[in-house]
């Protein structure tokens, strides 16, 4: 009974909230959203309590057994990600409630899309079979595209359409992979697939197709071009949601497929290629971030770079000792979490700074350093995690990845991680240096409302402190699935 | 919470919380800011003093918790930690007093003092760190919190100095991290302990250990401004004088030198390092740095730049002493950690006073400054003679101990380096002193700034250098008394060479 | 060759044709149609490959394709809305800077 309530809370209340929000408009939607967030927080805590008490489980939705029914896999990884989603999405929602101007046309679609997105993301975390992963990813994509296009201006529409086309191409490649796997092994469940797969051409081709699709959706170099315009042009809280959670959803699917099916269907060449693309993403994304003149574009390119670290998982878990694979998985998951927290904080803080100086260019930040706005602090604290400096979660993740690379004897990836940190410092300090430039002319600096500063600051502090308490999320993630 | 945990944590939080409070204070609340600053500095100094007494009595302070299953965050107050902690908390108090006077009426003080406190919190963390991981946490925190101080003025020069500073220190940090990761993957999490972990490391491959040491040393050498990794230090001179004092005497270069002590003595163990053949190259690099820094100092015309190159030279005495295998040489290196701090901060305070009060920054404009500012010039003279190693000042104690240590370690060439460096010190400091006292002022001062009262400059600016100048004399005269820097350094050193 | 496999191969052909169109075409509506072609190809593969040994149609595959079609319709609808607004505001039928056909 409790389980029913918990799962219903995670999946169906966001959908219900989405439908109701559509009817009541933006202003009233805020109150509804507040109530929804409280509900989500309660359900998430209930799930934490259940899982730490009794371990992971599988759950058949509405008691319809798979394969026709929908089976959910509720394990420690899913739990941790649900918790992350509740935190980040609530922060973004609260920020949006104050940041978006209620009277703009199109704004009434914000809350419905927001809740659809939330439902889709929870669906991806919990899905136990590859088809429902597809459905979840589609729900996320459609909602995300809608959010990018929210303002209805031509640049936003263009970015949204590019995003939509890229994401749809990715989805169909993924779906074709699903079809091939189902045709070859007769099951969709990830758990059963992991047992059934054999090293054959169909399986490998299917996996390759799925990874190609997911790479597009995750904006892995060189198919990343859609991300910076979309994340750069969206409203700040929307960009935060997209970079922190949406990109992570498809990355997480890739991670899970690889961990479940990779040992049989993968090849060392494929793993190496993914690692190489990840490294290229780190270098290219960070470099492009440094070249940007717009603040949000810089943060968006930073996401392209940071996503690259996630793909170092592939070479570091293939044909290595269990210890190395464990370190690498922990490192990548911790990076996923800390980047989600830090990047959401970074985007919201950037939005606040743009509000404060009235202009999105980096040079316009001149003189902002003297006002010591809280947003700048939030930006700074989050940036520490992005650069992977201690004591942030980004640092501990980097530490684990370095350990893994070193113990596996694959020093090249360690070098990529270290160089990535330095390149991140390059673009982060471009922003700070701009803030410190002394401006001779009189400055018109509008402090954003205090409550808008609290959300990025809270997330940034979490990202910063995560490194010192990393044992806890890693412990949660270790909770297994169904016995 | 027991005092074991409360004291180190309290000392750390004193400056950490001070920085948070200062950031929150509005810019115009000057009085409140000064009160917070000074009381936090005094509180921290008091806590550190209590810990010094406790450590002397053999008590242990510290805490430890697991960040990851095989990685601990460790704070631990041992005798060596207390040396650095004592230095940084004493000089923080003085530098804060000085900075209050120096930045009077200048903008952005909230920002400045906030990061200033953060910087000192990191320094204390470095001192108390109980393993390399914890050390690295605070080491990088120090980098980040000093950047805003270096670029404080916001001018193009300041920003470019800041860029240079980051390029050097962050790269150094990455190299250090690589060395740490390598070491950890070989031997696990190594807590700092007297005589190091030589038993644990002894069966590892010598080449690997040498490579790890090279990485760790290179990472630390960037902050310690060892040639050829010193480029950031002269550039960072554009920062306000209290920041220079902080960089040169209290925090940054000292953090690098202190890290070297930890790595050589408490990770590898000095006798094992010697067996690996690490000490010769380190001593060579240090000796080269000493001479190179002095020669470069000679040709500088800007007072602060000359002092900067002098720092490069003087800090290298510390690694040089560390490499003189034996308790005397070690004590010489360690004691210089404190002595160099006292002497260099005096000189920077005075240089700041000249710039602030009579607008002089160039050496050739100092003619006759002794008459206008006798007290400051007195302090400067003491500092300069200390640097040259004139008895009975602090610098003499260092050089004497180092020389004795070199003889004991059978490395007589070190004495030649010491003599050469002292001569060079004399060549670049004596003309300065001569200008101060024995030349006439050719005209008016470039930019004179009159202060009320009978003192030559603001009392906030005057008392700190006078205090540190007096201590240069005192630590030199009373070097043999218990709790003097030298006796404390001998205490630390003795434990490294137990049979 | 079984009829199922034939369907699957035809599906693959559609998939590749659609993908080529998706990559080569610039007109927004055509790209959308190419997307739908890719989708239909995928569904055909799904149904074609999922044959039970006894020759009965596999209900799971049917259910999946049904869901897939719903998703494709939603995506198509969203794309159409965005394209119409883009066309209304800019008078263009493609995204990049080239002139219209």
């Amino acid at each position: 009974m409790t389980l029913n309530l918990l799962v219903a809370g995670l999946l169906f209340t966001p959908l219900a909230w989405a439908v109701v929000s559509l009817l009541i408009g933006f202003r009233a939607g805020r109150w509804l959203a507040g109530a929804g967030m409280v509900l989500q927080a309660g359900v998430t805590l209930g799930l934490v309590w259940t899982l730490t008490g009794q371990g992971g489980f599988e759950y058949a939705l509405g008691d319809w057994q798979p394969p026709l029914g929908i089976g959910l896999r509720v394990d420690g990884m899913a739990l941790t990600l649900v918790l992350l989603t509740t935190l980040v999405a609530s922060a973004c929602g609260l920020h949006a409630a104050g940041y978006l101007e209620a009277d703009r046309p199109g704004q009434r679609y914000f809350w419905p899309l927001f809740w659809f997105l939330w439902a889709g993301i929870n669906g991806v975390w919990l899905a136990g079979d590859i088809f429902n992963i597809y459905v979840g990813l589609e729900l996320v994509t459609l909602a995300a595209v809608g959010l990018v296009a929210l303002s209805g201006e031509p640049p936003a529409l263009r970015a949204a359409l590019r995003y939509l086309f890229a994401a749809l191409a990715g989805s169909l490649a993924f779906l074709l992979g699903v079809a091939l796997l189902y045709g070859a092994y007769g099951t969709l469940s990830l758990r059963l697939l992991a047992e059934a797969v054999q090293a054959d051409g169909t399986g490998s081709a299917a996996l390759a197709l799925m990874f190609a699709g997911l790479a597009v959706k995750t904006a892995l170099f060189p198919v990343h071009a859609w991300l910076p315009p979309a994340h750069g042009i969206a409203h700040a809280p929307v960009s935060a949601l997209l970079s922190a959670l949406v990109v992570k959803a498809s990355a997480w699917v890739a991670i899970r497929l690889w961990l479940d099916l990779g040992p049989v269907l993968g090849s060392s060449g494929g793993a190496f290629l993914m690692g190489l693309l990840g490294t290229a993403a780190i270098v290219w994304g960070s470099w492009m971030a440094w070249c940007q003149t717009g603040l949000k574009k810089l943060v968006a390119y930073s996401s392209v770079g940071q996503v690259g670290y996630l793909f170092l998982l592939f070479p570091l878990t293939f044909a290595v000792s269990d210890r190395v694979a464990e370190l690498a998985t922990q490192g990548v998951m911790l990076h996923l979490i800390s980047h989600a927290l830090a990047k959401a904080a970074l985007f919201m803080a950037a939005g606040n700074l743009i509000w404060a100086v009235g202009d999105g260019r980096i040079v316009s930040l001149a003189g902002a350093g003297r006002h010591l706005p809280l947003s700048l602090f939030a930006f700074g604290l989050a940036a520490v995690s992005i650069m992977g400096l201690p004591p942030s979660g980004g640092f501990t993740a980097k530490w684990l990845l370095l350990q893994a690379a070193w113990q596996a004897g694959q020093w090249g990836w360690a070098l990529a991680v270290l160089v990535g940190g330095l390149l991140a410092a390059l673009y982060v300090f471009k922003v700070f240096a701009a803030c410190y430039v002394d401006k001779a002319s009189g400055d018109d600096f509008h402090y954003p409302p205090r409550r808008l500063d609290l959300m990025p600051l809270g997330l940034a502090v979490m990202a910063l402190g995560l490194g010192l308490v990393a044992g806890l999320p890693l412990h949660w993630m270790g909770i297994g699935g169904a016995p | 919470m027991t005092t074991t945990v409360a004291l180190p944590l309290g000392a750390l939080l004193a400056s950490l919380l001070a920085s948070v409070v200062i950031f929150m204070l509005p810019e115009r609340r000057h009085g409140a800011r000064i009160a917070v600053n000074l009381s936090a500095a005094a509180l921290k100094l008091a806590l550190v003093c209590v810990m010094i007494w406790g450590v002397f009595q053999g008590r242990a302070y510290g805490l430890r918790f697991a960040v990851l299953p095989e990685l601990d965050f460790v704070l631990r107050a041992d005798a060596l930690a207390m040396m650095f902690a004592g230095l940084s908390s004493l000089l923080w108090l003085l530098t804060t007093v000085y900075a209050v006077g120096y930045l009077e009426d200048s903008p952005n003080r909230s920002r400045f003092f906030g990061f200033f406190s953060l910087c000192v919190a990191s320094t204390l963390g470095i001192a108390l760190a109980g393993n390399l991981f914890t050390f690295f946490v605070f080491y990088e925190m120090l980098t980040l919190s000093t950047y805003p101080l270096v670029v404080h003025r916001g001018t193009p020069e300041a920003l470019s100095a800041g860029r240079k500073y980051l390029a050097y220190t962050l790269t150094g940090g990455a190299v250090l991290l690589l060395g740490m990761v390598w070491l950890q993957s070989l031997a696990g999490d190594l807590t700092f302990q007297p005589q190091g972990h030589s038993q644990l490391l002894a069966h590892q491959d010598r080449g690997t250990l040498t490579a790890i040491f090279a990485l760790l040393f290179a990472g630390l050498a960037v902050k310690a401004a060892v040639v050829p990794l010193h480029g950031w230090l002269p550039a960072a001179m554009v920062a306000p004088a209290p920041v220079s004092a902080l960089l040169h005497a209290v925090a940054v270069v000292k953090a690098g030198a202190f890290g070297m002590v930890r790595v050589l003595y408490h990770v590898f163990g000095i006798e094992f390092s010697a067996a690996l053949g690490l000490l010769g190259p380190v001593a060579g690099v240090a000796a080269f740095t000493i001479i190179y820094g002095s020669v470069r100092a000679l040709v500088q015309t800007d007072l602060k730049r000359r002092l900067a190159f002098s720092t490069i030279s003087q800090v290298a005495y510390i690694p040089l002493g560390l490499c003189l295998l034996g308790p005397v040489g070690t004590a010489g290196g360690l004691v210089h950690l404190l002595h160099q701090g006292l002497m260099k901060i005096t000189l920077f305070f005075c240089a700041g006073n000249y710039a602030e009060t009579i607008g002089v920054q160039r050496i050739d404009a100092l003619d006759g400054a002794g008459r206008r500012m006798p007290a400051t010039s007195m302090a400067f003279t003491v500092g300069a003679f200390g640097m040259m190693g004139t008895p009975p000042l602090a610098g003499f104690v260092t050089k004497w101990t180092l020389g004795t240590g070199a003889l004991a370690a059978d490395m007589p060439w070190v004495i030649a380096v010491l003599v050469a460096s002292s001569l060079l010190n004399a060549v670049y400091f004596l003309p300065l002193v001569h200008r101060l006292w024995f030349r006439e002022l050719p005209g008016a001062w470039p930019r004179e700034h009159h202060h009320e009262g009978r003192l030559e400059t603001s009392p906030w600016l005057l008392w700190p250098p006078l205090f540190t100048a007096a201590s240069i004399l005192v630590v030199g005269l009373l070097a043999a008394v218990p709790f003097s820097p030298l006796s404390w350094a001998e205490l630390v050193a003795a434990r490294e060479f137990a049979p | 060759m079984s009829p199922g496999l034939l369907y699957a191969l035809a599906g693959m052909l559609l998939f590749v044709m659609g993908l080529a169109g998706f990559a080569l075409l610039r007109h927004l509506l055509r790209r959308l149609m190419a997307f739908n072609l890719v989708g239909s190809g995928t569904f055909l593969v799904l149904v074609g490959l999922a044959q039970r040994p006894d020759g009965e149609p596999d209900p799971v595959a049917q259910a999946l394709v049904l869901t897939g079609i719903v998703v494709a319709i939603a995506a198509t609808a969203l794309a159409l809305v965005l394209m119409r607004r883009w066309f209304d505001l800019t008078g263009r039928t493609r995204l990049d800077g080239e002139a219209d056909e």
Side-chain angles (χ1 to χ4, degrees), chain B residues 31 54 77 112 116 125 129 135 141 158 166 173 196 209 262 301 314 316 341 356 367 375 402 439 474 477 482 492:
Chain B
F112 180 87
F116 201 76
F135 177 86
M141 199 167 127
L166 281 178
L209 288 178
R262 285 296 197 193
T301 52
Q314 291 279 335
E356 192 60 4
D367 293 357
L402 281 176
R439 292 252 191 123
V474 170
L477 281 173
V492 176

Side-chain angles (χ1 to χ4, degrees), chain A residues 224-468:
Chain A
H224 63 279
W226 62 267
L227 185 143
H231 290 199
I233 201 126
H235 297 299
V238 172
S239 311
L241 269 177
L242 298 186
S243 264
L245 296 176
V246 172
V247 169
K248 301 297 158 31
S250 46
W252 153 245
V253 174
I255 291 171
R256 221 169 111 177
L257 282 175
W258 178 254
L259 292 180
D260 284 349
L261 309 181
V264 179
L265 295 181
S267 67
S268 61
F272 185 78
L273 177 71
M274 291 302 253
L276 213 58
L277 291 179
T279 306
I282 295 173
V283 174
W284 180 251
S286 309
W287 175 256
M288 287 302 287
W290 184 66
C291 296
Q292 298 307 308
T293 52
L295 182 57
K296 280 186 69 196
K297 260 304 202 28
L298 180 145
V299 181
Y301 266 108
S302 151
S303 289
V304 174
Q306 296 282 314
V307 158
Y309 290 99
L310 302 177
F311 288 86
L312 297 182
L313 176 86
F314 289 73
L316 289 176
T317 49
F318 190 78
V320 292
S321 69
D322 286 350
R323 175 78 190 126
V324 171
E326 189 194 3
L327 282 173
T329 312
Q330 289 183 338
V332 162
M333 289 309 292
L334 201 59
H335 183 267
L336 190 152
I337 295 171
S338 56
H339 178 249
L341 292 170
K343 191 47 68 75
L346 224 47
F347 262 122
M348 287 190 267
N352 290 351
L353 285 172
I354 291 172
W355 171 315
V357 300
D359 186 350
R361 288 170 307 144
I362 294 173
V363 284
S364 311
L365 288 173
R370 72 170 49 166
H371 299 278
L372 283 182
L374 276 179
S375 327
L376 197 55
F377 271 98
F379 196 93
L381 296 182
V384 171
S385 187
I386 296 288
M387 289 186 282
L389 292 179
S392 68
F395 171 71
T396 309
K398 201 155 112 174
W399 174 269
L400 287 166
L401 282 174
L402 286 172
Q403 285 288 342
W406 213 261
Q407 292 187 16
Q410 305 186 19
W411 299 294
W413 309 127
L415 209 64
V417 170
L418 285 178
V419 170
L422 293 178
L423 286 173
L426 206 64
Y427 60 77
V428 163
F429 278 98
K430 178 177 176 172
V431 176
F432 290 128
C435 292
Y436 267 86
V437 169
D438 232 3
K439 202 165 68 168
S441 59
D443 41 13
D444 31 355
F445 189 89
H446 315 283
Y447 282 93
R450 210 19 90 88
R451 65 202 150 82
L452 286 189
D453 280 335
L454 289 181
M455 269 69 75
L457 196 63
L459 290 185
V461 167
M462 279 184 224
L464 191 70
L466 181 64
L468 291 181

Side-chain angles (χ1 to χ4, degrees), chain A residues 367 369-370 372 432-433 435-439, chain B residues 23 27 33 99 102-116 145-163 165 236-244 247:
Chain A
R370 72 170 49 166
L372 283 182
F432 290 128
C435 292
Y436 267 86
V437 169
D438 232 3
K439 202 165 68 168
Chain B
F23 279 133
E27 183 65 32
R33 189 162 51 237
Y102 192 85
L103 292 175
E104 214 162 25
D105 306 326
S106 80
N108 304 329
R109 271 179 281 175
S110 232
R111 183 175 88 186
F112 180 87
F113 283 105
F115 284 115
F116 201 76
S145 51
T146 35
Y147 172 79
L149 298 176
V150 173
V151 299
H152 181 72
R153 292 210 164 115
T155 55
E157 302 85 62
L159 289 169
S160 113
R163 259 198 306 280
Y165 176 65
M237 297 312 316
V238 294
V243 177
S244 304
L247 292 179

Side-chain angles (χ1 to χ4, degrees), chain B residues 18 46 67 98 101 112 168 174 181 254 260 277 289 319 323 329 456:
Chain B
V67 173
Y98 185 82
F112 180 87
Y168 274 85
V181 168
K254 284 304 161 54
M260 291 178 185
T289 304
C323 294
E456 61 197 47

